[in-house]
mmCIF file of all heavy atoms in Angstrom:
data_model
loop_
_atom_site.group_PDB
_atom_site.id
_atom_site.type_symbol
_atom_site.label_atom_id
_atom_site.label_comp_id
_atom_site.label_asym_id
_atom_site.label_seq_id
_atom_site.Cartn_x
_atom_site.Cartn_y
_atom_site.Cartn_z
ATOM 1 N N VAL A 25 141.938 -95.310 31.468
ATOM 2 C CA VAL A 25 142.589 -96.526 30.951
ATOM 3 C C VAL A 25 143.233 -96.203 29.596
ATOM 4 O O VAL A 25 144.360 -96.580 29.312
ATOM 5 C CB VAL A 25 141.613 -97.687 30.857
ATOM 6 C CG1 VAL A 25 142.249 -98.921 30.265
ATOM 7 C CG2 VAL A 25 141.026 -98.021 32.245
ATOM 8 N N GLU A 26 142.525 -95.452 28.788
ATOM 9 C CA GLU A 26 143.076 -94.979 27.495
ATOM 10 C C GLU A 26 144.283 -94.083 27.761
ATOM 11 O O GLU A 26 145.289 -94.150 27.054
ATOM 12 C CB GLU A 26 142.036 -94.236 26.698
ATOM 13 C CG GLU A 26 140.772 -95.033 26.357
ATOM 14 C CD GLU A 26 141.077 -96.164 25.397
ATOM 15 O OE1 GLU A 26 141.583 -95.865 24.306
ATOM 16 O OE2 GLU A 26 140.772 -97.346 25.744
ATOM 17 N N ARG A 27 144.125 -93.216 28.771
ATOM 18 C CA ARG A 27 145.184 -92.224 29.045
ATOM 19 C C ARG A 27 146.500 -92.898 29.453
ATOM 20 O O ARG A 27 147.549 -92.440 29.027
ATOM 21 C CB ARG A 27 144.739 -91.276 30.159
ATOM 22 C CG ARG A 27 143.851 -90.202 29.622
ATOM 23 C CD ARG A 27 143.547 -89.076 30.596
ATOM 24 N NE ARG A 27 142.619 -88.227 29.911
ATOM 25 C CZ ARG A 27 141.280 -88.351 29.998
ATOM 26 N NH1 ARG A 27 140.740 -89.253 30.818
ATOM 27 N NH2 ARG A 27 140.493 -87.625 29.275
ATOM 28 N N ILE A 28 146.437 -93.947 30.292
ATOM 29 C CA ILE A 28 147.733 -94.504 30.711
ATOM 30 C C ILE A 28 148.414 -95.214 29.533
ATOM 31 O O ILE A 28 149.623 -95.446 29.581
ATOM 32 C CB ILE A 28 147.658 -95.441 31.960
ATOM 33 C CG1 ILE A 28 146.763 -96.636 31.719
ATOM 34 C CG2 ILE A 28 147.274 -94.667 33.201
ATOM 35 C CD1 ILE A 28 147.021 -97.733 32.766
ATOM 36 N N HIS A 29 147.673 -95.500 28.482
ATOM 37 C CA HIS A 29 148.309 -96.066 27.282
ATOM 38 C C HIS A 29 148.596 -94.926 26.251
ATOM 39 O O HIS A 29 148.945 -95.214 25.126
ATOM 40 C CB HIS A 29 147.410 -97.113 26.632
ATOM 41 C CG HIS A 29 147.183 -98.278 27.526
ATOM 42 N ND1 HIS A 29 148.200 -99.153 27.863
ATOM 43 C CD2 HIS A 29 146.096 -98.795 28.128
ATOM 44 C CE1 HIS A 29 147.736 -100.122 28.640
ATOM 45 N NE2 HIS A 29 146.457 -99.901 28.826
ATOM 46 N N CYS A 30 148.419 -93.685 26.666
ATOM 47 C CA CYS A 30 148.680 -92.534 25.804
ATOM 48 C C CYS A 30 147.893 -92.624 24.497
ATOM 49 O O CYS A 30 148.403 -92.330 23.410
ATOM 50 C CB CYS A 30 150.181 -92.386 25.508
ATOM 51 S SG CYS A 30 151.109 -92.082 26.979
ATOM 52 N N ARG A 31 146.633 -93.052 24.611
ATOM 53 C CA ARG A 31 145.832 -93.194 23.398
ATOM 54 C C ARG A 31 144.813 -92.055 23.242
ATOM 55 O O ARG A 31 143.891 -92.175 22.481
ATOM 56 C CB ARG A 31 145.056 -94.530 23.441
ATOM 57 C CG ARG A 31 145.948 -95.727 23.149
ATOM 58 C CD ARG A 31 145.121 -96.963 22.821
ATOM 59 N NE ARG A 31 144.368 -97.427 23.962
ATOM 60 C CZ ARG A 31 144.535 -98.636 24.533
ATOM 61 N NH1 ARG A 31 145.454 -99.429 24.073
ATOM 62 N NH2 ARG A 31 143.784 -99.001 25.512
ATOM 63 N N THR A 32 144.946 -90.964 23.977
ATOM 64 C CA THR A 32 143.966 -89.914 23.862
ATOM 65 C C THR A 32 144.593 -88.541 23.665
ATOM 66 O O THR A 32 145.623 -88.216 24.263
ATOM 67 C CB THR A 32 142.960 -89.901 25.052
ATOM 68 O OG1 THR A 32 142.530 -88.565 25.283
ATOM 69 C CG2 THR A 32 143.561 -90.442 26.309
ATOM 70 N N ALA A 33 143.946 -87.767 22.833
ATOM 71 C CA ALA A 33 144.469 -86.448 22.462
ATOM 72 C C ALA A 33 144.201 -85.412 23.553
ATOM 73 O O ALA A 33 144.797 -84.346 23.551
ATOM 74 C CB ALA A 33 143.835 -85.982 21.154
ATOM 75 N N SER A 34 143.313 -85.737 24.501
ATOM 76 C CA SER A 34 142.983 -84.766 25.556
ATOM 77 C C SER A 34 143.968 -84.774 26.675
ATOM 78 O O SER A 34 143.743 -84.217 27.743
ATOM 79 C CB SER A 34 141.558 -85.052 26.082
ATOM 80 O OG SER A 34 141.533 -86.306 26.687
ATOM 81 N N THR A 35 145.118 -85.434 26.473
ATOM 82 C CA THR A 35 146.093 -85.599 27.561
ATOM 83 C C THR A 35 147.481 -85.205 27.090
ATOM 84 O O THR A 35 147.850 -85.498 25.968
ATOM 85 C CB THR A 35 146.088 -87.078 27.993
ATOM 86 O OG1 THR A 35 144.773 -87.485 28.234
ATOM 87 C CG2 THR A 35 146.921 -87.304 29.248
ATOM 88 N N VAL A 36 148.229 -84.543 27.958
ATOM 89 C CA VAL A 36 149.614 -84.282 27.669
ATOM 90 C C VAL A 36 150.422 -85.176 28.601
ATOM 91 O O VAL A 36 149.904 -85.693 29.590
ATOM 92 C CB VAL A 36 150.006 -82.804 27.919
ATOM 93 C CG1 VAL A 36 149.326 -81.913 26.906
ATOM 94 C CG2 VAL A 36 149.662 -82.350 29.364
ATOM 95 N N THR A 37 151.682 -85.367 28.317
ATOM 96 C CA THR A 37 152.557 -86.086 29.245
ATOM 97 C C THR A 37 153.777 -85.223 29.513
ATOM 98 O O THR A 37 154.245 -84.525 28.600
ATOM 99 C CB THR A 37 152.993 -87.438 28.711
ATOM 100 O OG1 THR A 37 153.515 -87.246 27.382
ATOM 101 C CG2 THR A 37 151.869 -88.434 28.706
ATOM 102 N N PRO A 38 154.347 -85.221 30.702
ATOM 103 C CA PRO A 38 153.789 -85.932 31.873
ATOM 104 C C PRO A 38 152.671 -85.144 32.514
ATOM 105 O O PRO A 38 152.673 -83.909 32.446
ATOM 106 C CB PRO A 38 154.998 -86.005 32.808
ATOM 107 C CG PRO A 38 155.800 -84.793 32.495
ATOM 108 C CD PRO A 38 155.598 -84.479 31.016
ATOM 109 N N VAL A 39 151.727 -85.842 33.099
ATOM 110 C CA VAL A 39 150.619 -85.187 33.795
ATOM 111 C C VAL A 39 150.111 -86.190 34.843
ATOM 112 O O VAL A 39 150.283 -87.410 34.685
ATOM 113 C CB VAL A 39 149.494 -84.783 32.816
ATOM 114 C CG1 VAL A 39 148.733 -86.005 32.313
ATOM 115 C CG2 VAL A 39 148.519 -83.778 33.425
ATOM 116 N N ILE A 40 149.551 -85.669 35.919
ATOM 117 C CA ILE A 40 148.848 -86.536 36.872
ATOM 118 C C ILE A 40 147.430 -86.697 36.379
ATOM 119 O O ILE A 40 146.721 -85.679 36.192
ATOM 120 C CB ILE A 40 148.855 -85.932 38.295
ATOM 121 C CG1 ILE A 40 150.279 -85.684 38.790
ATOM 122 C CG2 ILE A 40 148.064 -86.843 39.256
ATOM 123 C CD1 ILE A 40 150.372 -84.889 40.082
ATOM 124 N N ILE A 41 147.000 -87.917 36.085
ATOM 125 C CA ILE A 41 145.628 -88.119 35.587
ATOM 126 C C ILE A 41 144.663 -88.219 36.779
ATOM 127 O O ILE A 41 145.064 -88.169 37.924
ATOM 128 C CB ILE A 41 145.535 -89.315 34.615
ATOM 129 C CG1 ILE A 41 145.973 -90.595 35.299
ATOM 130 C CG2 ILE A 41 146.397 -89.031 33.384
ATOM 131 C CD1 ILE A 41 145.637 -91.832 34.436
ATOM 132 N N GLY A 42 143.375 -88.434 36.434
ATOM 133 C CA GLY A 42 142.322 -88.526 37.468
ATOM 134 C C GLY A 42 141.455 -87.282 37.424
ATOM 135 O O GLY A 42 141.880 -86.197 37.837
ATOM 136 N N HIS A 43 140.249 -87.444 36.860
ATOM 137 C CA HIS A 43 139.381 -86.242 36.713
ATOM 138 C C HIS A 43 138.067 -86.423 37.462
ATOM 139 O O HIS A 43 137.191 -85.589 37.390
ATOM 140 C CB HIS A 43 139.121 -85.950 35.234
ATOM 141 C CG HIS A 43 138.489 -87.090 34.500
ATOM 142 N ND1 HIS A 43 139.225 -88.054 33.855
ATOM 143 C CD2 HIS A 43 137.186 -87.433 34.306
ATOM 144 C CE1 HIS A 43 138.425 -88.931 33.295
ATOM 145 N NE2 HIS A 43 137.176 -88.601 33.562
ATOM 146 N N GLU A 44 137.900 -87.522 38.174
ATOM 147 C CA GLU A 44 136.671 -87.752 38.981
ATOM 148 C C GLU A 44 137.146 -87.834 40.424
ATOM 149 O O GLU A 44 137.579 -88.893 40.893
ATOM 150 C CB GLU A 44 135.987 -89.045 38.558
ATOM 151 C CG GLU A 44 135.606 -89.036 37.051
ATOM 152 C CD GLU A 44 134.956 -90.326 36.565
ATOM 153 O OE1 GLU A 44 134.734 -91.234 37.390
ATOM 154 O OE2 GLU A 44 134.684 -90.411 35.368
ATOM 155 N N PHE A 45 137.075 -86.728 41.150
ATOM 156 C CA PHE A 45 137.628 -86.736 42.497
ATOM 157 C C PHE A 45 136.897 -85.760 43.429
ATOM 158 O O PHE A 45 136.280 -84.786 42.990
ATOM 159 C CB PHE A 45 139.128 -86.409 42.478
ATOM 160 C CG PHE A 45 139.490 -85.095 41.873
ATOM 161 C CD1 PHE A 45 139.575 -83.921 42.709
ATOM 162 C CD2 PHE A 45 139.723 -84.935 40.538
ATOM 163 C CE1 PHE A 45 139.907 -82.692 42.157
ATOM 164 C CE2 PHE A 45 140.028 -83.699 39.988
ATOM 165 C CZ PHE A 45 140.129 -82.587 40.803
ATOM 166 N N SER A 46 137.019 -86.055 44.691
ATOM 167 C CA SER A 46 136.438 -85.194 45.708
ATOM 168 C C SER A 46 137.471 -85.045 46.841
ATOM 169 O O SER A 46 138.409 -85.859 46.908
ATOM 170 C CB SER A 46 135.152 -85.818 46.262
ATOM 171 O OG SER A 46 135.453 -87.018 46.945
ATOM 172 N N GLY A 47 137.270 -84.122 47.684
ATOM 173 C CA GLY A 47 138.239 -83.936 48.751
ATOM 174 C C GLY A 47 137.856 -82.775 49.677
ATOM 175 O O GLY A 47 136.684 -82.371 49.726
ATOM 176 N N VAL A 48 138.881 -82.261 50.346
ATOM 177 C CA VAL A 48 138.690 -81.190 51.311
ATOM 178 C C VAL A 48 139.634 -80.061 50.958
ATOM 179 O O VAL A 48 140.788 -80.312 50.580
ATOM 180 C CB VAL A 48 139.015 -81.714 52.751
ATOM 181 C CG1 VAL A 48 139.043 -80.583 53.747
ATOM 182 C CG2 VAL A 48 138.008 -82.779 53.137
ATOM 183 N N VAL A 49 139.140 -78.851 51.035
ATOM 184 C CA VAL A 49 140.034 -77.699 50.794
ATOM 185 C C VAL A 49 141.120 -77.679 51.863
ATOM 186 O O VAL A 49 140.817 -77.716 53.071
ATOM 187 C CB VAL A 49 139.233 -76.362 50.781
ATOM 188 C CG1 VAL A 49 140.198 -75.179 50.690
ATOM 189 C CG2 VAL A 49 138.226 -76.348 49.643
ATOM 190 N N GLU A 50 142.365 -77.708 51.419
ATOM 191 C CA GLU A 50 143.493 -77.754 52.353
ATOM 192 C C GLU A 50 143.990 -76.324 52.640
ATOM 193 O O GLU A 50 144.273 -75.983 53.762
ATOM 194 C CB GLU A 50 144.607 -78.586 51.721
ATOM 195 C CG GLU A 50 145.933 -78.616 52.462
ATOM 196 C CD GLU A 50 145.935 -79.606 53.621
ATOM 197 O OE1 GLU A 50 144.954 -80.359 53.760
ATOM 198 O OE2 GLU A 50 146.897 -79.578 54.399
ATOM 199 N N LYS A 51 143.959 -75.505 51.589
ATOM 200 C CA LYS A 51 144.581 -74.205 51.674
ATOM 201 C C LYS A 51 144.035 -73.358 50.543
ATOM 202 O O LYS A 51 143.709 -73.886 49.487
ATOM 203 C CB LYS A 51 146.086 -74.392 51.417
ATOM 204 C CG LYS A 51 147.018 -73.518 52.229
ATOM 205 C CD LYS A 51 148.425 -74.067 52.063
ATOM 206 C CE LYS A 51 149.385 -72.926 51.740
ATOM 207 N NZ LYS A 51 150.728 -73.441 51.406
ATOM 208 N N VAL A 52 143.884 -72.032 50.752
ATOM 209 C CA VAL A 52 143.438 -71.161 49.657
ATOM 210 C C VAL A 52 144.431 -69.999 49.491
ATOM 211 O O VAL A 52 145.083 -69.605 50.468
ATOM 212 C CB VAL A 52 142.013 -70.619 49.905
ATOM 213 C CG1 VAL A 52 141.000 -71.756 49.960
ATOM 214 C CG2 VAL A 52 141.935 -69.769 51.148
ATOM 215 N N GLY A 53 144.474 -69.485 48.295
ATOM 216 C CA GLY A 53 145.315 -68.305 48.015
ATOM 217 C C GLY A 53 144.743 -67.090 48.731
ATOM 218 O O GLY A 53 143.544 -67.091 49.120
ATOM 219 N N GLU A 54 145.536 -66.054 48.873
ATOM 220 C CA GLU A 54 145.117 -64.910 49.714
ATOM 221 C C GLU A 54 143.916 -64.173 49.167
ATOM 222 O O GLU A 54 143.186 -63.532 49.950
ATOM 223 C CB GLU A 54 146.328 -63.951 49.900
ATOM 224 C CG GLU A 54 146.782 -63.377 48.557
ATOM 225 C CD GLU A 54 148.175 -62.742 48.700
ATOM 226 O OE1 GLU A 54 149.151 -63.504 48.968
ATOM 227 O OE2 GLU A 54 148.301 -61.525 48.474
ATOM 228 N N ASN A 55 143.621 -64.254 47.866
ATOM 229 C CA ASN A 55 142.466 -63.549 47.293
ATOM 230 C C ASN A 55 141.163 -64.354 47.374
ATOM 231 O O ASN A 55 140.104 -63.834 47.032
ATOM 232 C CB ASN A 55 142.696 -63.255 45.818
ATOM 233 C CG ASN A 55 143.726 -62.167 45.608
ATOM 234 O OD1 ASN A 55 144.114 -61.510 46.585
ATOM 235 N ND2 ASN A 55 144.167 -61.972 44.391
ATOM 236 N N VAL A 56 141.230 -65.623 47.765
ATOM 237 C CA VAL A 56 140.064 -66.476 47.695
ATOM 238 C C VAL A 56 139.140 -66.227 48.880
ATOM 239 O O VAL A 56 139.561 -66.279 50.026
ATOM 240 C CB VAL A 56 140.469 -67.967 47.665
ATOM 241 C CG1 VAL A 56 139.262 -68.897 47.692
ATOM 242 C CG2 VAL A 56 141.309 -68.270 46.412
ATOM 243 N N VAL A 57 137.860 -65.905 48.591
ATOM 244 C CA VAL A 57 136.905 -65.684 49.685
ATOM 245 C C VAL A 57 135.815 -66.778 49.735
ATOM 246 O O VAL A 57 135.201 -66.996 50.771
ATOM 247 C CB VAL A 57 136.220 -64.287 49.577
ATOM 248 C CG1 VAL A 57 137.217 -63.172 49.871
ATOM 249 C CG2 VAL A 57 135.599 -64.083 48.200
ATOM 250 N N ARG A 58 135.581 -67.404 48.574
ATOM 251 C CA ARG A 58 134.469 -68.322 48.493
ATOM 252 C C ARG A 58 134.742 -69.663 49.187
ATOM 253 O O ARG A 58 133.817 -70.381 49.607
ATOM 254 C CB ARG A 58 134.146 -68.537 47.028
ATOM 255 C CG ARG A 58 132.835 -69.190 46.800
ATOM 256 C CD ARG A 58 132.340 -69.064 45.364
ATOM 257 N NE ARG A 58 131.384 -70.113 45.100
ATOM 258 C CZ ARG A 58 131.615 -71.111 44.225
ATOM 259 N NH1 ARG A 58 132.696 -71.148 43.496
ATOM 260 N NH2 ARG A 58 130.703 -72.050 44.100
#
Side-chain angles (χ1 to χ4, degrees):
V25 176
E26 301 292 304
R27 280 190 183 91
I28 60 163
H29 296 295
C30 297
R31 285 196 293 243
T32 149
S34 63
T35 309
V36 292
T37 50
V39 72
I40 301 171
I41 60 170
H43 59 269
E44 301 178 3
F45 59 92
S46 66
V48 171
V49 173
E50 173 81 7
K51 216 168 133 187
V52 298
E54 61 196 64
N55 288 349
V56 175
V57 289
R58 193 163 157 246

